[in-house]
Amino acid sequence: METKPSNPDLDLELLQGYLDSLGKTIVEQMFSLYCQQVEIYLNDIERSQLTDSISGWQEHCHKMKGAAASVGMYQLHGQLKLLEKTDASTDKKAVLLEELRSSNEQAIVAFQHWLESV
């Protein structure tokens, strides 16, 4: 059984490694950059959904997936992994996008709480 602190949203081992090797200031900067960039990714994903661009949807989900992984957003990364490959209809993608926005907000809050606790 795992004994490390459990957080379904965050890869705490990765984040602790960042903290130990880079320091809190750099981790805060990484998080700030993610928060700025993720709005662009979400808007690009939405544009792809609205124009029914399968390649655009995949490309932008892939970019956001990488960004989520780089800041240890474990659950969000997994969700994007599935979304990137989905062959859902445009209407279904609209629902998936709203779920993604909600999950992203949840991951940001989880990261903020973690950052405040270290």
Side-chain angles (χ1 to χ4, degrees), residues 5 10 13 49 58 65 71 84 101 107:
L10 302 176
E13 195 173 313
Q49 180 267 324
Q58 290 173 340
K65 179 182 75 171
V71 291
E84 179 183 12
R101 288 186 188 278

Side-chain angles (χ1 to χ4, degrees), residues 45 47 56 64 67 111:
I45 292 168
R47 198 167 22 265
M64 187 174 168
F111 196 104

Side-chain angles (χ1 to χ4, degrees), residues 18-35:
Y18 284 164
L19 207 53
D20 294 344
S21 61
L22 302 172
K24 188 172 182 178
T25 301
I26 298 297
V27 173
E28 289 171 336
Q29 290 173 355
M30 288 170 60
F31 178 61
S32 176
L33 180 61
Y34 172 83
C35 290

Side-chain angles (χ1 to χ4, degrees), residues 29-57:
Q29 290 173 355
M30 288 170 60
F31 178 61
S32 176
L33 180 61
Y34 172 83
C35 290
Q36 292 169 26
Q37 289 297 117
V38 77
E39 287 306 314
I40 295 167
Y41 298 143
L42 287 167
N43 289 336
D44 287 344
I45 292 168
E46 181 177 26
R47 198 167 22 265
S48 297
Q49 180 267 324
L50 291 171
T51 60
D52 199 21
S53 170
I54 295 168
S55 61
W57 174 273

